Structure formats: structure tokens, C-alpha cells
Amino acid sequence: MVDSRLLLLLICSVLGLVSGSSKDLPIISFDEGYSPLFGDANLAILKDGKTVHMSLDERTGSGFISQDLYLHGFFSASIKLPADYTAGVVVAFYMSNADMFEANHDELDFEFLGNIRGKDWRIQTNVYGNGSTNVGREERYHLWFDPSEDFHQYSILWSDNLIIFYVDNVPIREIKRTEAMGGDFPSKPMSLYATIWDGSEWATNGGRYRVNYKYAPYVAEFSNLVLHGCAVDPIEKSPKCDNGPTSKAIIPTGIMPEQRSKMEKFRKTHMTYSYCYDRVRYTVPPSECVVNAQEAERLRRFDPVTFGGRRHHHHGKRHQRNRSSQSEATTI
């Protein structure tokens, strides 16, 4: 069983990060926290031991996985994406337990979707709990920078009742657990993954633009790896909470007003899809959705069919990929 005091300390510690800074958390070397997952020849650990290059070529993609399972915590990496023509390329930074719970897995996703030359990378987030793949909870966004020019930090905060996705310490998405969600809220220990792979069938304009291997290898660079959470023994299922250096500031209970303002600005400016506003898929938004009138109006202008419910428009279902699941992305 979980030591309730340790778990409370951990949750307080990670919630302290909601105020906006993870700079005090320890950065680990690759060997301290991760192991190769696949495509070993395409996985290069630099001399500093803290920077990893993953590549995709005609033979294979590549990826790595955390050595431990985690139940709640703060997880982060600085990532630099491939440049130039990247259509069909998918880079993922995510948590999952699909290998242990095939029929009822949990998952928290950052997926980066490549594009044709002159078009920007897009970022997609998704949440699945207890195998709830029949309820898509994906969102997609453009970024305010070119993620192939430099490293940028992408982070996931996960507690027993709250999930927040961050880009450069700016919260871009918040999911609060509701009673109606039931098991749809991720609640089982998960591993952390990073992968690069060929998503030609769906990733860029619904598969219209595919990976062109004359531009290979496609290299994604990962650094500043943070694993700060309750590690779980896979046999005993007993979490051990790593509190690390905790913040001395007053710990907030949610996103602070300044950060919430930044999140709202980001979503009003850069979000291109949210399941909460998809009138075709959901006549009534799922219980965890907090509908914002300005977000709704912007998306309605962006795509009046999907977000205005003017006529039926089929959205493709998720299909199997080389390790987990994914959502269709159709806008370039």
C-alpha cells in the first residue's frame, strides 16, 4: 500500500510546480532513469550522458522507456525536433501502461506531428484512462516558436485529481478529475516513453503527405530529463515517493492567476482542435470539459462544420501504432 504521508508530500511537491517553475528539480542522466526501447542503432547517448538523439530512417524509428513505473509526479524533457520536410514523422513524449494493461490502459500524450516544408510542426495532447479509447480527449495546437530551431521544455504534471500539460512552463491544458469520469481518469502506474516513428498513414493532412526518406535520418534531440514522482515496484505494486528538492514557497492548489492568464491566451491563439467543442462527436461535452465562449467562437470560425455542427462529418478513429495508440490529425 502507498504510504499516505509520502504520497501527500509528493502531491504537494508537484503541485508546487503549478506556480510555474521546475528548474529546481534534479536532471538525471539517461542511464539513471531510462533504457532503450527499440531501434538501438538509432539511439545515441551523447558524452554528457544527459542528451539523447533518436532517429528515424528507412529501417526503423527508435525510442526509450523509463526504468520505473510511476504513480503520479512531474515529468519533463527539453526537446528539439527535426527540421525541413518532416511530413509523416511523429515524435512522442508520453506516459502509458499499455504493456501491462492491454484492455484497460491509461495514457498521457504529447505527440509532435511533422509537416511539409514551409508548414509548422503541430503538437497534440491526449488523455486516456482505463482503456477509454471510445472517448477521444485529444487537443491540437500550433506553437509560438519553431520547435526545430532550439530546445523547448515539455512537461506533464499528474496527480490523483489533476493533469496539466506545459510548454516552456506555460500550462496549455488542464484536466480536473470529475466524478462522472470514473475510471476514464488515469489512475494506474505508468512508464514514461519517448519515440520517433513513421506515421505516414495519418499524421500529416490525414495521410496525404508521407515520410520522404530522402530527407532521412530525422533526428529528435532530448535533454534535461526529469523523472520526479512515486516509483512503483512492478511486482509488489508499492510506490516509493521521491520528494527531491521541494519548493519553499507557499504551495498553490491549482494554476496561479498569472499562469492561468497565459494558458487562456495560448488556447485562444494557438489551439486548432479540442474534443470539448466537437459538436459532431459530442452533442454534450464530456463532464471534465470547461467550455470557454471565446475558445468556442474561435474554433467555430476556424472549422464551422466540426465546431458548429452544421452537417455530419466523420472523424477517423484511432488505430494501432507500433507501441500504443494515436488520434487522427488532418490540419496542416
Side-chain angles (χ1 to χ4, degrees), residues 164-194:
I164 302 176
F165 293 88
Y166 297 86
V167 176
D168 285 341
N169 284 322
V170 174
I172 65 168
R173 182 178 182 183
E174 176 187 40
I175 304 99
K176 292 182 178 180
R177 185 174 197 163
T178 64
E179 185 176 351
M181 288 183 76
D184 285 5
F185 191 92
S187 59
K188 298 184 293 295
M190 293 189 278
S191 299
L192 194 71
Y193 295 80

PDB file of all heavy atoms in Angstrom, residues 164-194:
ATOM      1  N   ILE A 164      -1.879  18.430 -15.895  1.00  0.00           N
ATOM      2  CA  ILE A 164      -1.556  19.668 -16.596  1.00  0.00           C
ATOM      3  C   ILE A 164      -0.427  19.396 -17.580  1.00  0.00           C
ATOM      4  O   ILE A 164       0.573  18.768 -17.232  1.00  0.00           O
ATOM      5  CB  ILE A 164      -1.144  20.799 -15.632  1.00  0.00           C
ATOM      6  CG1 ILE A 164      -2.251  21.082 -14.618  1.00  0.00           C
ATOM      7  CG2 ILE A 164      -0.829  22.078 -16.416  1.00  0.00           C
ATOM      8  CD1 ILE A 164      -1.887  22.117 -13.569  1.00  0.00           C
ATOM      9  N   PHE A 165      -0.602  19.857 -18.804  1.00  0.00           N
ATOM     10  CA  PHE A 165       0.450  19.818 -19.811  1.00  0.00           C
ATOM     11  C   PHE A 165       1.069  21.211 -19.914  1.00  0.00           C
ATOM     12  O   PHE A 165       0.341  22.213 -19.941  1.00  0.00           O
ATOM     13  CB  PHE A 165      -0.116  19.420 -21.185  1.00  0.00           C
ATOM     14  CG  PHE A 165      -0.622  18.012 -21.259  1.00  0.00           C
ATOM     15  CD1 PHE A 165      -1.939  17.705 -20.917  1.00  0.00           C
ATOM     16  CD2 PHE A 165       0.197  16.981 -21.701  1.00  0.00           C
ATOM     17  CE1 PHE A 165      -2.416  16.404 -21.003  1.00  0.00           C
ATOM     18  CE2 PHE A 165      -0.263  15.675 -21.784  1.00  0.00           C
ATOM     19  CZ  PHE A 165      -1.573  15.387 -21.436  1.00  0.00           C
ATOM     20  N   TYR A 166       2.420  21.258 -19.982  1.00  0.00           N
ATOM     21  CA  TYR A 166       3.146  22.518 -20.064  1.00  0.00           C
ATOM     22  C   TYR A 166       4.040  22.553 -21.295  1.00  0.00           C
ATOM     23  O   TYR A 166       4.589  21.523 -21.698  1.00  0.00           O
ATOM     24  CB  TYR A 166       4.071  22.692 -18.858  1.00  0.00           C
ATOM     25  CG  TYR A 166       3.429  22.779 -17.497  1.00  0.00           C
ATOM     26  CD1 TYR A 166       3.129  21.634 -16.772  1.00  0.00           C
ATOM     27  CD2 TYR A 166       3.163  24.016 -16.923  1.00  0.00           C
ATOM     28  CE1 TYR A 166       2.561  21.708 -15.503  1.00  0.00           C
ATOM     29  CE2 TYR A 166       2.603  24.100 -15.646  1.00  0.00           C
ATOM     30  CZ  TYR A 166       2.308  22.950 -14.949  1.00  0.00           C
ATOM     31  OH  TYR A 166       1.754  23.034 -13.695  1.00  0.00           O
ATOM     32  N   VAL A 167       4.209  23.751 -21.839  1.00  0.00           N
ATOM     33  CA  VAL A 167       5.240  24.014 -22.830  1.00  0.00           C
ATOM     34  C   VAL A 167       6.050  25.204 -22.317  1.00  0.00           C
ATOM     35  O   VAL A 167       5.493  26.282 -22.095  1.00  0.00           O
ATOM     36  CB  VAL A 167       4.653  24.336 -24.213  1.00  0.00           C
ATOM     37  CG1 VAL A 167       5.766  24.700 -25.200  1.00  0.00           C
ATOM     38  CG2 VAL A 167       3.844  23.163 -24.747  1.00  0.00           C
ATOM     39  N   ASP A 168       7.335  25.001 -22.105  1.00  0.00           N
ATOM     40  CA  ASP A 168       8.201  26.044 -21.545  1.00  0.00           C
ATOM     41  C   ASP A 168       7.589  26.652 -20.279  1.00  0.00           C
ATOM     42  O   ASP A 168       7.557  27.876 -20.105  1.00  0.00           O
ATOM     43  CB  ASP A 168       8.478  27.133 -22.582  1.00  0.00           C
ATOM     44  CG  ASP A 168       9.470  26.680 -23.642  1.00  0.00           C
ATOM     45  OD1 ASP A 168      10.205  25.699 -23.398  1.00  0.00           O
ATOM     46  OD2 ASP A 168       9.515  27.304 -24.721  1.00  0.00           O
ATOM     47  N   ASN A 169       7.088  25.771 -19.398  1.00  0.00           N
ATOM     48  CA  ASN A 169       6.490  26.156 -18.120  1.00  0.00           C
ATOM     49  C   ASN A 169       5.210  26.966 -18.244  1.00  0.00           C
ATOM     50  O   ASN A 169       4.711  27.512 -17.258  1.00  0.00           O
ATOM     51  CB  ASN A 169       7.501  26.913 -17.237  1.00  0.00           C
ATOM     52  CG  ASN A 169       8.522  25.975 -16.618  1.00  0.00           C
ATOM     53  OD1 ASN A 169       8.192  24.865 -16.218  1.00  0.00           O
ATOM     54  ND2 ASN A 169       9.767  26.412 -16.552  1.00  0.00           N
ATOM     55  N   VAL A 170       4.659  27.057 -19.448  1.00  0.00           N
ATOM     56  CA  VAL A 170       3.347  27.674 -19.650  1.00  0.00           C
ATOM     57  C   VAL A 170       2.318  26.549 -19.715  1.00  0.00           C
ATOM     58  O   VAL A 170       2.424  25.664 -20.568  1.00  0.00           O
ATOM     59  CB  VAL A 170       3.297  28.495 -20.950  1.00  0.00           C
ATOM     60  CG1 VAL A 170       1.869  29.015 -21.202  1.00  0.00           C
ATOM     61  CG2 VAL A 170       4.273  29.659 -20.890  1.00  0.00           C
ATOM     62  N   PRO A 171       1.334  26.519 -18.818  1.00  0.00           N
ATOM     63  CA  PRO A 171       0.313  25.473 -18.909  1.00  0.00           C
ATOM     64  C   PRO A 171      -0.522  25.677 -20.166  1.00  0.00           C
ATOM     65  O   PRO A 171      -0.977  26.789 -20.454  1.00  0.00           O
ATOM     66  CB  PRO A 171      -0.525  25.677 -17.645  1.00  0.00           C
ATOM     67  CG  PRO A 171      -0.304  27.105 -17.259  1.00  0.00           C
ATOM     68  CD  PRO A 171       1.082  27.461 -17.699  1.00  0.00           C
ATOM     69  N   ILE A 172      -0.701  24.616 -20.936  1.00  0.00           N
ATOM     70  CA  ILE A 172      -1.504  24.724 -22.158  1.00  0.00           C
ATOM     71  C   ILE A 172      -2.802  23.929 -22.057  1.00  0.00           C
ATOM     72  O   ILE A 172      -3.720  24.128 -22.849  1.00  0.00           O
ATOM     73  CB  ILE A 172      -0.714  24.274 -23.402  1.00  0.00           C
ATOM     74  CG1 ILE A 172      -0.381  22.778 -23.336  1.00  0.00           C
ATOM     75  CG2 ILE A 172       0.545  25.110 -23.576  1.00  0.00           C
ATOM     76  CD1 ILE A 172       0.143  22.207 -24.650  1.00  0.00           C
ATOM     77  N   ARG A 173      -2.867  23.036 -21.060  1.00  0.00           N
ATOM     78  CA  ARG A 173      -4.074  22.233 -20.911  1.00  0.00           C
ATOM     79  C   ARG A 173      -4.180  21.733 -19.476  1.00  0.00           C
ATOM     80  O   ARG A 173      -3.187  21.307 -18.889  1.00  0.00           O
ATOM     81  CB  ARG A 173      -4.047  21.045 -21.868  1.00  0.00           C
ATOM     82  CG  ARG A 173      -5.292  20.170 -21.807  1.00  0.00           C
ATOM     83  CD  ARG A 173      -5.233  19.034 -22.802  1.00  0.00           C
ATOM     84  NE  ARG A 173      -6.458  18.242 -22.745  1.00  0.00           N
ATOM     85  CZ  ARG A 173      -6.683  17.138 -23.456  1.00  0.00           C
ATOM     86  NH1 ARG A 173      -5.740  16.699 -24.289  1.00  0.00           N
ATOM     87  NH2 ARG A 173      -7.816  16.479 -23.347  1.00  0.00           N
ATOM     88  N   GLU A 174      -5.402  21.764 -18.941  1.00  0.00           N
ATOM     89  CA  GLU A 174      -5.668  21.322 -17.572  1.00  0.00           C
ATOM     90  C   GLU A 174      -6.869  20.389 -17.580  1.00  0.00           C
ATOM     91  O   GLU A 174      -7.893  20.694 -18.196  1.00  0.00           O
ATOM     92  CB  GLU A 174      -5.951  22.531 -16.683  1.00  0.00           C
ATOM     93  CG  GLU A 174      -6.346  22.208 -15.257  1.00  0.00           C
ATOM     94  CD  GLU A 174      -6.784  23.450 -14.493  1.00  0.00           C
ATOM     95  OE1 GLU A 174      -7.484  24.317 -15.086  1.00  0.00           O
ATOM     96  OE2 GLU A 174      -6.453  23.545 -13.310  1.00  0.00           O
ATOM     97  N   ILE A 175      -6.727  19.225 -16.955  1.00  0.00           N
ATOM     98  CA  ILE A 175      -7.839  18.287 -16.807  1.00  0.00           C
ATOM     99  C   ILE A 175      -8.045  18.015 -15.331  1.00  0.00           C
ATOM    100  O   ILE A 175      -7.158  17.476 -14.659  1.00  0.00           O
ATOM    101  CB  ILE A 175      -7.586  16.950 -17.543  1.00  0.00           C
ATOM    102  CG1 ILE A 175      -7.291  17.185 -19.011  1.00  0.00           C
ATOM    103  CG2 ILE A 175      -8.779  16.018 -17.393  1.00  0.00           C
ATOM    104  CD1 ILE A 175      -5.822  17.171 -19.340  1.00  0.00           C
ATOM    105  N   LYS A 176      -9.201  18.392 -14.820  1.00  0.00           N
ATOM    106  CA  LYS A 176      -9.548  18.112 -13.422  1.00  0.00           C
ATOM    107  C   LYS A 176     -10.468  16.898 -13.381  1.00  0.00           C
ATOM    108  O   LYS A 176     -11.427  16.792 -14.155  1.00  0.00           O
ATOM    109  CB  LYS A 176     -10.247  19.313 -12.785  1.00  0.00           C
ATOM    110  CG  LYS A 176      -9.339  20.518 -12.602  1.00  0.00           C
ATOM    111  CD  LYS A 176     -10.080  21.662 -11.912  1.00  0.00           C
ATOM    112  CE  LYS A 176      -9.173  22.855 -11.679  1.00  0.00           C
ATOM    113  NZ  LYS A 176      -9.887  23.975 -11.006  1.00  0.00           N
ATOM    114  N   ARG A 177     -10.161  16.006 -12.473  1.00  0.00           N
ATOM    115  CA  ARG A 177     -10.960  14.786 -12.349  1.00  0.00           C
ATOM    116  C   ARG A 177     -12.374  15.119 -11.886  1.00  0.00           C
ATOM    117  O   ARG A 177     -12.574  15.920 -10.972  1.00  0.00           O
ATOM    118  CB  ARG A 177     -10.300  13.849 -11.341  1.00  0.00           C
ATOM    119  CG  ARG A 177     -10.968  12.499 -11.220  1.00  0.00           C
ATOM    120  CD  ARG A 177     -10.168  11.599 -10.305  1.00  0.00           C
ATOM    121  NE  ARG A 177     -10.519  10.195 -10.441  1.00  0.00           N
ATOM    122  CZ  ARG A 177      -9.768   9.198 -10.020  1.00  0.00           C
ATOM    123  NH1 ARG A 177      -8.605   9.464  -9.425  1.00  0.00           N
ATOM    124  NH2 ARG A 177     -10.148   7.951 -10.181  1.00  0.00           N
ATOM    125  N   THR A 178     -13.346  14.532 -12.545  1.00  0.00           N
ATOM    126  CA  THR A 178     -14.736  14.675 -12.135  1.00  0.00           C
ATOM    127  C   THR A 178     -15.277  13.298 -11.756  1.00  0.00           C
ATOM    128  O   THR A 178     -14.776  12.263 -12.208  1.00  0.00           O
ATOM    129  CB  THR A 178     -15.609  15.258 -13.265  1.00  0.00           C
ATOM    130  OG1 THR A 178     -15.635  14.327 -14.364  1.00  0.00           O
ATOM    131  CG2 THR A 178     -15.049  16.596 -13.745  1.00  0.00           C
ATOM    132  N   GLU A 179     -16.323  13.299 -10.951  1.00  0.00           N
ATOM    133  CA  GLU A 179     -16.917  12.031 -10.535  1.00  0.00           C
ATOM    134  C   GLU A 179     -17.443  11.257 -11.738  1.00  0.00           C
ATOM    135  O   GLU A 179     -17.339  10.029 -11.808  1.00  0.00           O
ATOM    136  CB  GLU A 179     -18.044  12.291  -9.531  1.00  0.00           C
ATOM    137  CG  GLU A 179     -18.658  11.025  -8.950  1.00  0.00           C
ATOM    138  CD  GLU A 179     -19.707  11.311  -7.887  1.00  0.00           C
ATOM    139  OE1 GLU A 179     -19.838  12.488  -7.489  1.00  0.00           O
ATOM    140  OE2 GLU A 179     -20.392  10.353  -7.465  1.00  0.00           O
ATOM    141  N   ALA A 180     -17.986  11.983 -12.717  1.00  0.00           N
ATOM    142  CA  ALA A 180     -18.566  11.333 -13.887  1.00  0.00           C
ATOM    143  C   ALA A 180     -17.514  10.645 -14.756  1.00  0.00           C
ATOM    144  O   ALA A 180     -17.843   9.726 -15.514  1.00  0.00           O
ATOM    145  CB  ALA A 180     -19.344  12.351 -14.724  1.00  0.00           C
ATOM    146  N   MET A 181     -16.244  11.086 -14.662  1.00  0.00           N
ATOM    147  CA  MET A 181     -15.197  10.443 -15.452  1.00  0.00           C
ATOM    148  C   MET A 181     -14.968   9.006 -15.016  1.00  0.00           C
ATOM    149  O   MET A 181     -14.607   8.142 -15.833  1.00  0.00           O
ATOM    150  CB  MET A 181     -13.878  11.215 -15.333  1.00  0.00           C
ATOM    151  CG  MET A 181     -13.845  12.535 -16.066  1.00  0.00           C
ATOM    152  SD  MET A 181     -12.224  13.332 -15.926  1.00  0.00           S
ATOM    153  CE  MET A 181     -11.261  12.336 -17.081  1.00  0.00           C
ATOM    154  N   GLY A 182     -15.153   8.725 -13.737  1.00  0.00           N
ATOM    155  CA  GLY A 182     -14.908   7.381 -13.237  1.00  0.00           C
ATOM    156  C   GLY A 182     -13.500   6.934 -13.564  1.00  0.00           C
ATOM    157  O   GLY A 182     -12.520   7.645 -13.338  1.00  0.00           O
ATOM    158  N   GLY A 183     -13.384   5.747 -14.155  1.00  0.00           N
ATOM    159  CA  GLY A 183     -12.076   5.203 -14.499  1.00  0.00           C
ATOM    160  C   GLY A 183     -11.437   5.835 -15.707  1.00  0.00           C
ATOM    161  O   GLY A 183     -10.312   5.470 -16.071  1.00  0.00           O
ATOM    162  N   ASP A 184     -12.128   6.780 -16.364  1.00  0.00           N
ATOM    163  CA  ASP A 184     -11.531   7.446 -17.519  1.00  0.00           C
ATOM    164  C   ASP A 184     -10.378   8.361 -17.127  1.00  0.00           C
ATOM    165  O   ASP A 184      -9.627   8.802 -17.997  1.00  0.00           O
ATOM    166  CB  ASP A 184     -12.584   8.275 -18.270  1.00  0.00           C
ATOM    167  CG  ASP A 184     -13.517   7.397 -19.087  1.00  0.00           C
ATOM    168  OD1 ASP A 184     -13.395   6.158 -18.989  1.00  0.00           O
ATOM    169  OD2 ASP A 184     -14.363   7.944 -19.811  1.00  0.00           O
ATOM    170  N   PHE A 185     -10.251   8.680 -15.841  1.00  0.00           N
ATOM    171  CA  PHE A 185      -9.111   9.465 -15.381  1.00  0.00           C
ATOM    172  C   PHE A 185      -7.967   8.502 -15.077  1.00  0.00           C
ATOM    173  O   PHE A 185      -8.131   7.545 -14.318  1.00  0.00           O
ATOM    174  CB  PHE A 185      -9.469  10.265 -14.124  1.00  0.00           C
ATOM    175  CG  PHE A 185      -8.442  11.283 -13.736  1.00  0.00           C
ATOM    176  CD1 PHE A 185      -8.528  12.592 -14.189  1.00  0.00           C
ATOM    177  CD2 PHE A 185      -7.366  10.938 -12.916  1.00  0.00           C
ATOM    178  CE1 PHE A 185      -7.577  13.542 -13.835  1.00  0.00           C
ATOM    179  CE2 PHE A 185      -6.409  11.873 -12.559  1.00  0.00           C
ATOM    180  CZ  PHE A 185      -6.517  13.182 -13.029  1.00  0.00           C
ATOM    181  N   PRO A 186      -6.775   8.720 -15.664  1.00  0.00           N
ATOM    182  CA  PRO A 186      -5.650   7.792 -15.459  1.00  0.00           C
ATOM    183  C   PRO A 186      -5.350   7.607 -13.973  1.00  0.00           C
ATOM    184  O   PRO A 186      -5.161   8.574 -13.245  1.00  0.00           O
ATOM    185  CB  PRO A 186      -4.497   8.490 -16.180  1.00  0.00           C
ATOM    186  CG  PRO A 186      -5.157   9.329 -17.224  1.00  0.00           C
ATOM    187  CD  PRO A 186      -6.431   9.813 -16.593  1.00  0.00           C
ATOM    188  N   SER A 187      -5.282   6.338 -13.555  1.00  0.00           N
ATOM    189  CA  SER A 187      -5.127   6.077 -12.121  1.00  0.00           C
ATOM    190  C   SER A 187      -4.194   4.924 -11.809  1.00  0.00           C
ATOM    191  O   SER A 187      -4.010   4.591 -10.640  1.00  0.00           O
ATOM    192  CB  SER A 187      -6.504   5.780 -11.502  1.00  0.00           C
ATOM    193  OG  SER A 187      -7.103   4.659 -12.129  1.00  0.00           O
ATOM    194  N   LYS A 188      -3.610   4.314 -12.847  1.00  0.00           N
ATOM    195  CA  LYS A 188      -2.708   3.179 -12.628  1.00  0.00           C
ATOM    196  C   LYS A 188      -1.276   3.589 -12.956  1.00  0.00           C
ATOM    197  O   LYS A 188      -1.050   4.485 -13.772  1.00  0.00           O
ATOM    198  CB  LYS A 188      -3.140   1.995 -13.506  1.00  0.00           C
ATOM    199  CG  LYS A 188      -4.539   1.472 -13.178  1.00  0.00           C
ATOM    200  CD  LYS A 188      -4.901   0.240 -13.985  1.00  0.00           C
ATOM    201  CE  LYS A 188      -5.061   0.508 -15.463  1.00  0.00           C
ATOM    202  NZ  LYS A 188      -6.191   1.410 -15.773  1.00  0.00           N
ATOM    203  N   PRO A 189      -0.286   2.949 -12.333  1.00  0.00           N
ATOM    204  CA  PRO A 189       1.115   3.313 -12.600  1.00  0.00           C
ATOM    205  C   PRO A 189       1.452   3.224 -14.084  1.00  0.00           C
ATOM    206  O   PRO A 189       0.978   2.330 -14.792  1.00  0.00           O
ATOM    207  CB  PRO A 189       1.899   2.275 -11.796  1.00  0.00           C
ATOM    208  CG  PRO A 189       0.963   1.836 -10.717  1.00  0.00           C
ATOM    209  CD  PRO A 189      -0.401   1.869 -11.334  1.00  0.00           C
ATOM    210  N   MET A 190       2.281   4.173 -14.536  1.00  0.00           N
ATOM    211  CA  MET A 190       2.662   4.232 -15.946  1.00  0.00           C
ATOM    212  C   MET A 190       4.169   4.417 -16.094  1.00  0.00           C
ATOM    213  O   MET A 190       4.833   4.953 -15.211  1.00  0.00           O
ATOM    214  CB  MET A 190       1.948   5.396 -16.655  1.00  0.00           C
ATOM    215  CG  MET A 190       0.453   5.224 -16.782  1.00  0.00           C
ATOM    216  SD  MET A 190      -0.331   6.473 -17.840  1.00  0.00           S
ATOM    217  CE  MET A 190      -0.486   7.844 -16.687  1.00  0.00           C
ATOM    218  N   SER A 191       4.679   3.974 -17.235  1.00  0.00           N
ATOM    219  CA  SER A 191       6.057   4.254 -17.634  1.00  0.00           C
ATOM    220  C   SER A 191       6.078   5.515 -18.485  1.00  0.00           C
ATOM    221  O   SER A 191       5.063   5.912 -19.073  1.00  0.00           O
ATOM    222  CB  SER A 191       6.634   3.088 -18.446  1.00  0.00           C
ATOM    223  OG  SER A 191       6.648   1.896 -17.702  1.00  0.00           O
ATOM    224  N   LEU A 192       7.243   6.140 -18.574  1.00  0.00           N
ATOM    225  CA  LEU A 192       7.429   7.286 -19.447  1.00  0.00           C
ATOM    226  C   LEU A 192       8.177   6.833 -20.692  1.00  0.00           C
ATOM    227  O   LEU A 192       9.154   6.085 -20.598  1.00  0.00           O
ATOM    228  CB  LEU A 192       8.218   8.381 -18.726  1.00  0.00           C
ATOM    229  CG  LEU A 192       8.206   9.750 -19.403  1.00  0.00           C
ATOM    230  CD1 LEU A 192       6.826  10.393 -19.270  1.00  0.00           C
ATOM    231  CD2 LEU A 192       9.260  10.662 -18.795  1.00  0.00           C
ATOM    232  N   TYR A 193       7.720   7.279 -21.849  1.00  0.00           N
ATOM    233  CA  TYR A 193       8.285   6.888 -23.124  1.00  0.00           C
ATOM    234  C   TYR A 193       8.686   8.104 -23.947  1.00  0.00           C
ATOM    235  O   TYR A 193       8.112   9.189 -23.805  1.00  0.00           O
ATOM    236  CB  TYR A 193       7.261   6.115 -23.963  1.00  0.00           C
ATOM    237  CG  TYR A 193       6.808   4.787 -23.440  1.00  0.00           C
ATOM    238  CD1 TYR A 193       5.835   4.698 -22.446  1.00  0.00           C
ATOM    239  CD2 TYR A 193       7.306   3.605 -23.981  1.00  0.00           C
ATOM    240  CE1 TYR A 193       5.375   3.469 -21.988  1.00  0.00           C
ATOM    241  CE2 TYR A 193       6.856   2.363 -23.528  1.00  0.00           C
ATOM    242  CZ  TYR A 193       5.894   2.301 -22.536  1.00  0.00           C
ATOM    243  OH  TYR A 193       5.448   1.082 -22.093  1.00  0.00           O
ATOM    244  N   ALA A 194       9.634   7.899 -24.861  1.00  0.00           N
ATOM    245  CA  ALA A 194       9.926   8.851 -25.932  1.00  0.00           C
ATOM    246  C   ALA A 194      10.185   8.032 -27.186  1.00  0.00           C
ATOM    247  O   ALA A 194      10.936   7.051 -27.147  1.00  0.00           O
ATOM    248  CB  ALA A 194      11.133   9.714 -25.596  1.00  0.00           C
TER     249      ALA A 194
END
